[in-house]
């Protein structure tokens, strides 16, 4: 009997060591990738071992850790879905025994823990540490800045604690809720993270429809469009003449006219970039011009249509089936049953749609005017802006599994603290979220594909001067075209 107990304890110990090793290796890979991504955009500083350099390096490591956690949160749901299908296909395979339900649950719990740690501790510490100078009267140095940062963190924690406590007391004012607020670890932090997740889902509700319509423009800029009734050689010749004319004006202009020099320099850069695009279109093969671009546009349209269709089906399912709610629907467990009607193909489609929604949400986030200044630039992004970007991506990525389950993109149940959010059990919030997502996405797509027709109608009716559309307003601005002439309305 004692030997059996020892054997069981040894097996549990080896299983835990194996799970922690796998988690560490996965996180190490994500950390290395995140470090290269951040250093690509971070502004290059002098290689001096002074106080500010040490502070920047510490903030860089904390930001890299946060970005790695964000990547892990994005991969969490796809990894769980594909693991469930692999366990169903090869239940007795020796080489995948490490892939089990305990590992999946552990990854979800670690993702929730590290998301809370980065959001409430590491990122505020990095920001305050970067902006700190030390209290007056104390000797300047790293210790003084750390002391000021810790004081600011304590004050911020007390402020957030008071705000959430008052908000919870106003929303649910009964004795049980008031007593549970004093339980910091079991109730208060999950409640606070639930509020952050709700804000992240609302942010995704705004960013994702905008990003889904914006993806067509972004891919159109990255790919080579088909050449229809265009003479690229003539356009390149004309724009080369315009470039030479601007260069002659710059060489013959006196240095005292600073404003005109800056304006001509900007025009020269625009002409150069346009010339590079035309040369790229000329060098592109016929297959790339006439096949790749239409195929990519069709694929984007199909994926967007499938996403809207799945949301519409989920709305109908919510109205007739209580198990469609993202909370309280106890699933069969990892590796017991397929959660997709079409098996492995359906699971692969769900993973593709989840990644597509995440990329669209990031594109939509940086397309919004309020967050336009947050866009990172290569080798010219300050650490403060990097911290802001890492926090924004962490909020979006942490809310991605919740949004995917709420919209019915996948039927995989939320594990760990992700499934303990109170608002997920509210039928009206979930139904309203699905309706708003479907309506906003449809409106954004209709506005995107009818912009050219709408602009022509405004021109025909003479309403273009009233600025009734963004496209009409953009077309009124004078800008150089690809053939070297000025485009005016």
């Amino acid at each position: 009997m004692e030997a059996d107990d020892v054997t069981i304890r040894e097996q549990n110990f080896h299983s835990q060591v194996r799970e922690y090793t796998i988690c560490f290796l996965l996180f190490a890979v994500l950390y290395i990738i995140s470090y290269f991504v951040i250093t690509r955009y971070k502004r290059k500083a002098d290689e001096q071992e002074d106080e500010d350099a040490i502070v920047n390096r510490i903030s860089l490591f904390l930001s890299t850790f946060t970005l790695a956690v964000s990547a892990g949160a994005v991969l969490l749901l796809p990894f769980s879905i594909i693991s469930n299908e692999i366990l169903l296909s090869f239940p007795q395979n020796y080489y995948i025994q490490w892939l089990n339900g305990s590992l999946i649950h552990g990854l979800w719990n670690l993702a929730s823990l590290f998301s809370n740690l980065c959001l409430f501790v590491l990122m505020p510490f990095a920001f305050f540490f970067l902006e700190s100078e030390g209290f007056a009267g104390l000797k300047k140095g790293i210790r003084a800045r750390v002391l000021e940062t810790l004081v600011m963190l304590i004050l911020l924690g007390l402020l957030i604690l008071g705000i959430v406590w008052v908000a919870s007391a106003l929303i649910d004012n009964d004795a049980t809720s008031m007593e549970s607020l004093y339980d910091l670890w079991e109730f208060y932090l999950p409640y606070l993270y639930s509020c952050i997740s709700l804000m992240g889902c609302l942010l995704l509700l705004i960013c994702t429809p905008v990003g889904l319509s914006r993806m067509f423009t972004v891919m159109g800029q990255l790919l080579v469009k088909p050449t229809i009734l265009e003479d690229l050689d003539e356009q390149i010749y004309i724009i080369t003449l315009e470039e030479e004319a601007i260069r002659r004006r710059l060489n013959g202009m006196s240095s005292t006219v600073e404003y005109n020099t800056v304006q001509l320099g900007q025009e020269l850069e625009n002409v150069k970039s346009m010339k590079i695009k035309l040369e790229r279109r000329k060098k592109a093969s016929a297959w790339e011009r006439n096949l790749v671009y239409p195929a990519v546009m069709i694929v984007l349209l199909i994926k967007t249509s499938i996403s809207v269709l799945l949301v519409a089906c989920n709305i109908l399912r919510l109205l007739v089936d209580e198990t469609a709610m993202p909370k309280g629907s106890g699933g069969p467990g990892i590796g017991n049953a397929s959660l997709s009607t079409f098996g492995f193909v359906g699971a692969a489609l769900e993973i593709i749609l989840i990644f597509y929604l995440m990329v669209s949400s990031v594109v939509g986030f940086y397309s919004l005017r309020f967050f336009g200044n947050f866009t990172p630039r290569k080798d010219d992004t300050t650490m403060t802006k990097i911290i802001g970007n890492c926090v924004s991506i962490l909020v979006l990525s942490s809310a991605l599994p919740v949004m995917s389950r709420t919209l019915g993109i996948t039927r995989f149940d939320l594990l760990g603290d992700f499934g303990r959010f109170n608002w997920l059990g509210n039928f009206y919030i979930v139904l309203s979220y699905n309706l708003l997502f479907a309506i906003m996405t449809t409106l954004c797509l209709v506005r995107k594909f009818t912009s050219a027709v709408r602009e022509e109608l405004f021109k025909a009716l003479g309403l273009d001067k009233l600025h009734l559309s963004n496209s009409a307003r953009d077309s009124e601005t004078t800008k150089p075209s690809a053939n070297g002439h000025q485009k005016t309305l």
Side-chain angles (χ1 to χ4, degrees), residues 201-352:
C201 288
L202 293 178
L203 184 60
L204 283 175
L205 183 61
I206 300 173
C207 297
T208 308
V210 176
L212 289 174
S213 62
R214 178 70 178 165
M215 284 291 291
F216 295 91
T217 304
V218 173
M219 296 306 296
Q221 294 173 352
L222 296 176
L223 299 176
V224 178
K225 296 182 180 180
T227 304
I228 302 175
L229 300 178
E230 286 184 284
D231 190 352
L232 294 179
D233 292 329
E234 181 183 356
Q235 293 184 16
I236 292 174
Y237 175 73
I238 294 175
I239 207 169
T240 302
L241 293 179
E242 184 175 354
E243 181 183 0
E244 294 177 356
I246 295 176
R247 288 183 184 276
R248 285 195 298 268
R249 291 177 62 187
L250 280 173
N251 295 331
M253 186 174 293
S254 61
S255 58
T256 56
V257 190
E258 183 179 355
Y259 175 75
N260 291 334
T261 305
V262 174
Q263 186 177 6
L264 286 175
Q266 186 175 2
E267 291 181 6
L268 182 61
E269 293 297 326
N270 294 334
V271 170
K272 284 182 179 179
S273 63
M274 205 165 299
K275 183 180 178 181
I276 293 174
K277 292 179 181 178
L278 288 174
E279 290 177 348
R280 184 190 171 207
R281 291 181 62 186
K282 182 182 178 181
K283 294 178 181 178
S285 62
W287 289 97
E288 185 180 357
R289 287 197 307 266
N290 302 322
L291 183 62
V292 175
Y293 180 83
V296 171
M297 294 296 113
I298 292 174
V299 169
L300 290 179
L301 184 60
I302 290 175
K303 289 194 290 187
T304 306
S305 303
I306 292 176
S307 301
V308 177
L309 183 62
L310 288 176
V311 174
C313 294
N314 189 57
I315 293 174
L316 297 177
R317 198 182 303 118
L318 285 170
L319 295 175
V320 299
D321 190 4
E322 294 182 356
T323 60
M325 291 291 293
K327 185 178 181 180
S329 54
I334 306 296
N336 294 328
S338 179
L339 300 175
S340 177
T341 307
F342 302 100
F344 195 85
V345 177
L349 179 61
E350 291 178 0
I351 294 173
I352 293 173

Side-chain angles (χ1 to χ4, degrees), residues 175-212:
T176 305
S177 297
M178 298 295 289
E179 291 178 1
S180 59
L181 283 173
Y182 296 103
D183 192 351
L184 184 65
W185 186 259
E186 291 295 331
F187 178 82
Y188 186 83
L189 287 180
Y191 180 80
L192 183 59
Y193 189 60
S194 175
C195 297
I196 299 296
S197 176
L198 178 60
M199 290 190 292
C201 288
L202 293 178
L203 184 60
L204 283 175
L205 183 61
I206 300 173
C207 297
T208 308
V210 176
L212 289 174

Side-chain angles (χ1 to χ4, degrees), residues 290-484:
N290 302 322
L291 183 62
V292 175
Y293 180 83
V296 171
M297 294 296 113
I298 292 174
V299 169
L300 290 179
L301 184 60
I302 290 175
K303 289 194 290 187
T304 306
S305 303
I306 292 176
S307 301
V308 177
L309 183 62
L310 288 176
V311 174
C313 294
N314 189 57
I315 293 174
L316 297 177
R317 198 182 303 118
L318 285 170
L319 295 175
V320 299
D321 190 4
E322 294 182 356
T323 60
M325 291 291 293
K327 185 178 181 180
S329 54
I334 306 296
N336 294 328
S338 179
L339 300 175
S340 177
T341 307
F342 302 100
F344 195 85
V345 177
L349 179 61
E350 291 178 0
I351 294 173
I352 293 173
L353 291 179
I354 290 171
F355 282 122
Y356 180 58
L357 290 179
M358 183 59 197
V359 174
S360 302
S361 64
V362 174
V363 172
F365 176 80
Y366 290 115
S367 300
L368 297 177
R369 294 182 179 179
F370 185 76
F371 301 105
N373 295 329
F374 262 52
T375 306
R377 300 181 183 275
K378 182 182 177 181
D379 297 332
D380 192 29
T381 307
T382 61
M383 274 307 305
T384 304
K385 190 176 290 186
I386 287 177
I387 292 173
N389 279 275
C390 290
V391 171
S392 303
I393 294 177
L394 177 63
V395 172
L396 293 176
S397 60
S398 299
L400 179 67
V402 182
M403 186 192 73
S404 302
R405 182 63 183 91
T406 304
L407 295 178
I409 303 298
T410 179
R411 293 169 55 193
F412 192 90
D413 291 329
L414 301 173
L415 304 176
D417 289 336
F418 289 91
R420 296 172 56 187
F421 299 152
N422 297 327
W423 60 272
L424 289 176
N426 192 313
F427 172 76
Y428 298 101
I429 293 179
V430 175
L431 181 63
S432 301
Y433 193 89
N434 282 262
L435 288 172
L436 286 174
F437 183 87
I439 293 173
M440 292 176 63
T441 304
T442 305
L443 291 178
C444 288
L445 291 176
V446 170
R447 181 178 180 274
K448 171 68 179 177
F449 290 110
T450 60
S451 59
V453 178
R454 189 171 61 250
E455 181 180 351
E456 294 299 327
L457 285 176
F458 285 149
K459 289 180 182 180
L461 298 176
L463 301 177
D464 50 309
K465 296 181 180 180
L466 299 179
H467 309 305
L468 295 179
S469 70
N470 293 330
S471 56
R473 179 162 56 248
D474 295 339
S475 63
E476 289 181 358
T477 59
T478 302
K479 55 184 179 180
S481 66
N483 57 9

Side-chain angles (χ1 to χ4, degrees), residues 26-243:
L26 292 175
F27 185 78
V29 173
L30 295 178
Y31 187 90
I32 294 173
I33 297 174
S34 302
Y35 179 79
F36 283 113
V37 170
I38 291 182
T39 52
R40 177 181 176 83
Y41 291 98
K42 181 180 177 296
R43 178 177 295 174
K44 298 298 185 283
D46 297 333
E47 299 296 333
Q48 296 179 358
E49 291 297 331
D50 56 355
E51 180 181 323
D52 291 335
I54 297 175
V55 172
N56 281 331
R57 193 176 296 113
I58 294 175
S59 300
L60 174 63
F61 292 153
L62 295 179
S63 301
T64 306
F65 184 86
T66 303
L67 188 60
V69 173
S70 304
V74 172
L75 297 174
L76 195 60
L77 192 56
F79 182 77
S80 302
I81 294 173
I82 197 67
S83 300
N84 183 66
E85 297 300 325
I86 290 176
L87 289 175
L88 279 175
S89 303
F90 309 99
Q92 303 297 330
N93 196 318
Y94 173 78
Y95 296 100
I96 60 170
Q97 293 300 314
W98 57 272
L99 194 62
N100 49 36
S102 177
L103 174 64
I104 304 299
H105 283 80
L107 289 174
W108 281 77
N109 292 328
L110 288 176
S112 176
L113 175 64
F114 286 153
S115 297
N116 282 282
L117 181 65
C118 294
L119 196 59
F120 300 122
V121 179
L122 298 185
M123 285 294 94
F125 179 85
F127 177 76
F128 290 133
F129 192 44
L130 196 66
E131 300 294 330
S132 63
E133 295 180 356
F135 291 114
L138 295 179
K139 183 179 179 181
K140 300 298 181 181
I142 298 295
R143 292 185 179 180
R145 299 180 72 162
V146 170
L147 179 61
E148 181 184 352
T149 304
L150 292 178
V151 172
M152 292 298 297
L153 277 179
I154 294 173
L155 294 177
L156 179 64
L158 292 176
L159 177 63
I160 296 177
L161 184 70
I163 291 174
V164 177
W165 198 90
V166 171
S168 177
L170 292 175
I171 295 173
D172 193 7
N173 190 13
D174 59 346
T176 305
S177 297
M178 298 295 289
E179 291 178 1
S180 59
L181 283 173
Y182 296 103
D183 192 351
L184 184 65
W185 186 259
E186 291 295 331
F187 178 82
Y188 186 83
L189 287 180
Y191 180 80
L192 183 59
Y193 189 60
S194 175
C195 297
I196 299 296
S197 176
L198 178 60
M199 290 190 292
C201 288
L202 293 178
L203 184 60
L204 283 175
L205 183 61
I206 300 173
C207 297
T208 308
V210 176
L212 289 174
S213 62
R214 178 70 178 165
M215 284 291 291
F216 295 91
T217 304
V218 173
M219 296 306 296
Q221 294 173 352
L222 296 176
L223 299 176
V224 178
K225 296 182 180 180
T227 304
I228 302 175
L229 300 178
E230 286 184 284
D231 190 352
L232 294 179
D233 292 329
E234 181 183 356
Q235 293 184 16
I236 292 174
Y237 175 73
I238 294 175
I239 207 169
T240 302
L241 293 179
E242 184 175 354
E243 181 183 0

